[in-house]
Amino acid sequence: MPDNLKFLKNLNIIIKEPFDELSIDFLNSFSNELKKDKGIYKLPELFYLMLFCSKRNVLKLKKNYKNDLFRIGRGLVFHVCPNNVPTNFIFSFIFGLLSGNSNIIKLPSRESKEKKILIKNIKQVLSRKKYSEINKSNFFIKYDYHLESNVPKLISSKSDCRVI
């Protein structure tokens, strides 16, 4: 198993109800962390992401969520996002988290200011003890498909769903 996939051995898959309290609080903390980062004010998509992740907005989404059937997350979701939209990977993670899933998100291979800021801030929030459960059940990974074509197959074999 490649070194960048050793986390699969000790994977902590957590299935929750959509919009659980810890996930909402985590996203609000992420929003607050982004707010402190002066770099987002030059990048409108990050400014709007900060607003989107606020507790007020997420609670509004929760209120509009139609839950007429008992629903919980599906389990482990593998997200492979396109490179051409620098914030796509974080939105995929957010929706996976709010849906009650554990997530593995392939980071875009293309470098961007947005990606650097997002990764820095998400790591900051994930490092807090309060969010250790989220940190142990959600992973952001990088790999070069041309050099490591077995990686998506291996992750997919452990996943309950894929978002491509």
Side-chain angles (χ1 to χ4, degrees):
M1 179 175 298
D3 283 346
N4 62 340
L5 295 182
K6 290 197 177 182
F7 70 89
L8 286 173
K9 288 183 179 180
N10 300 319
L11 192 60
N12 189 15
I13 300 171
I14 297 172
I15 301 172
K16 300 179 184 180
E17 290 186 29
F19 293 95
D20 73 287
E21 193 174 318
L22 184 64
S23 296
I24 293 171
D25 192 52
F26 173 82
L27 291 175
N28 192 60
S29 293
F30 178 58
S31 175
N32 290 334
E33 201 64 36
L34 284 173
K35 193 181 298 183
K36 293 187 248 175
D37 194 316
K38 302 301 178 209
I40 72 159
Y41 297 98
K42 295 176 185 171
L43 301 164
E45 57 274 22
L46 296 188
F47 179 78
Y48 292 116
L49 175 66
M50 175 196 70
L51 297 174
F52 182 82
C53 290
S54 71
K55 187 170 190 169
R56 181 179 182 186
N57 186 64
V58 174
L59 289 175
K60 191 176 357 171
L61 293 172
K62 181 180 180 178
K63 184 179 176 186
N64 292 330
Y65 175 71
K66 304 291 184 220
N67 192 10
D68 49 357
L69 298 173
F70 180 72
R71 295 187 179 140
I72 59 171
R74 306 280 261 172
L76 181 63
V77 179
F78 179 35
H79 304 257
V80 181
C81 302
N83 279 318
N84 62 340
V85 180
T87 56
N88 193 295
F89 77 94
I90 201 72
F91 278 104
S92 197
F93 164 67
I94 290 166
F95 291 122
L97 185 68
L98 288 176
S99 298
N101 298 294
S102 294
N103 302 279
I104 298 174
I105 298 89
K106 181 194 179 288
L107 293 170
S109 54
R110 187 178 294 163
E111 291 303 321
S112 68
K113 291 177 189 175
E114 296 89 349
K115 178 179 147 185
K116 286 179 186 174
I117 290 170
L118 292 171
I119 294 301
K120 177 183 80 170
N121 286 284
I122 203 82
K123 280 183 177 180
Q124 180 67 27
V125 180
L126 284 171
S127 70
R128 297 178 190 162
K129 186 177 180 180
K130 179 179 185 176
Y131 303 119
S132 64
E133 179 182 288
I134 292 173
N135 189 31
K136 292 176 186 173
S137 60
N138 292 276
F139 300 91
F140 294 86
I141 64 167
K142 292 193 310 189
Y143 62 86
D144 183 337
Y145 181 76
H146 301 292
L147 300 175
E148 302 172 282
S149 61
N150 63 323
V151 170
K153 293 174 191 169
L154 184 58
I155 295 173
S156 292
S157 72
K158 306 273 187 194
S159 300
D160 299 297
C161 299
R162 288 185 295 170
V163 175
I164 300 175

